[in-house]
Amino acid sequence: MNRISCLLISIILLSACSQVKPPEPFGPVPSERQLAWHEMEYYMFVHFTVNTFTDKEWGYGDEKESVFNPSELDCRQWAKAAKDAGMKGIIITAKHHDGFCLWPSKFTEHSVKNSIWKDGKGDVLRELKNACEEFGLKFGVYLSPWDRNSSAYSTPLYLAYYRNQLRELLTNYGDIFEVWFDGANGGDGFYGGAKETRKIDNKTYYDWPNTHSIVRELQPHAVMFSDAGPDIRWVGNESGMGSLTNWCLLKKDGMYPGGDFAKILGEGHEDGNYWVPAEVDVSIRPGWFYHTSQDSLVRTPENLMDLYYSSVGRNSNLLLNVPPDRRGKLFEKDVNSLLAFRDLLKKEFETNLAKGKKVNASSYRGKGYEASNVNDGNPETYWATKDEETAGDIIIDLGADTEVNRIILQEYIKLGQRVQAFKVSAFILGEWKPLIDGTTIGHKIIRKFPVVKTTTIKVTIYKSKACPVISNIELYRAPGN
Ligand code: FUL
């Protein structure tokens, strides 16, 4: 070896040694399918079935198929509204508790194929899937485990039926991003004419692991939602309230849909052994299905903004239900509210005041993990400290006196959820004035505080399970106080 190649090898070896290693992941981390789901943040829920025509919330299961007859079904209108509203996908009740199927299932007569709508040749799911494709939206399905129409419900035969339907949905309608298993299970119903109360054991009856494996087999990229995951958990209420402390972690073994876990589901478990983030499902109206009597009770744009803060702003995704009416269209008032909310949102987060500003930290891990990563617009870079440091300050120099009243914080969750306590302060008249205190961060939190005029904002992470990894900080001056 000559001297030049020796020198070259030494330089390469030296630079390899000076490369700073990234932090090791801490605790459970999200799967690829969960990461894709976190990015979605806001999407539409659609409750539509015989109930739309019978004015009910829970159909008994004895509805004549002929009642389902939308006069102007227009799934493109739903998809356009969702797209214009800034949503990323649509999840539809393919089958609600009444057992009526919005697609012509081979396995039951209780479906659109026996309705007079389109002479029994219609398929709502096909139309919606096509509309979602056209508007660049993801598509998801809700398949109610409880079926008040099926005579087999509560026997093992029903499980075979349920799984056959799941296979139909997951095979014939392209890519599905989320499969929604709700937790309402058993009670009175038609059950093929038996008209009785049937109780099942939530823990054992559905044999969930073998149903989940069908989803994994047919749609490996789909996440599954239920009270207890396996991929996404219910937030524990239907009023749109994510929890301020919100771990994406859950000890889900022993938990099952329909169990009494509402309290746990809000916060998750700090020491949870699975990554199971929360989804906030809530309706734009008091009911899940359309009722003319609720036309005056549609949530206002301002109210939708509150929901956004209490869901997306609290490390949860927002699944907002907008139920079509008897025409098969979203009601104009609902659409107007969605679009006006979209405008409010744009104004709320118009200019990121942290963008391009100088950022420093009390310390950092080394090259590649500088504080400037938190405002470089790249979600793949992050500020990190050395492994042994589980606290630190990030200081954003705004350059001049600036009014601020909102902050967005994001952890680099590919390495796990770590932060347990943080605070934000502003440098005003020579001292640090506290603005907010918080616990968890996770994928994203958005917090409000009264307007301050300041040159410098400080984010202090003061408790973290392992060295903090912060990928993004944004600051805004939203209208109002
Ligand atoms: C619940 C159901 O009982 C409601 O009707 C609605 O579909 C809601 C989203 O899930 O479990």
Side-chain angles (χ1 to χ4, degrees), residues 360-364 371 383 385 389 391-395 459:
N360 281 306
S362 46
S363 69
Y364 72 108
W383 166 73
T385 54
E389 289 173 37
D393 293 327
I394 304 171
I395 295 154
V459 176

Side-chain angles (χ1 to χ4, degrees), residues 79 104 144 224 328 370 389 421 435 458 472 479:
S144 168
M224 286 178 258
E370 295 83 1
E389 289 173 37
L435 300 177
K458 179 163 77 177
N472 189 38

Side-chain angles (χ1 to χ4, degrees), residues 45 47 51 57-58 93 95-97 142 144-146 180-185 225 227 234 238 281-283 287-289 319 321:
F45 214 1
H47 275 66
N51 295 347
E57 277 291 307
W58 281 9
T93 51
K95 179 184 90 166
H96 201 250
H97 310 328
Y142 169 123
S144 168
W146 184 26
W180 223 85
F181 299 120
D182 80 281
N185 282 316
F225 165 100
D227 290 12
W234 185 40
E238 292 179 341
D281 63 312
V282 60
S283 187
W288 291 103
F289 288 91
L319 173 59
N321 182 61

Side-chain angles (χ1 to χ4, degrees), residues 1-15:
M1 211 185 305
N2 62 28
R3 286 181 63 175
I4 298 187
S5 32
C6 259
L7 200 69
L8 271 174
I9 290 172
S10 327
I11 291 173
I12 291 169
L13 280 176
L14 261 175
S15 66

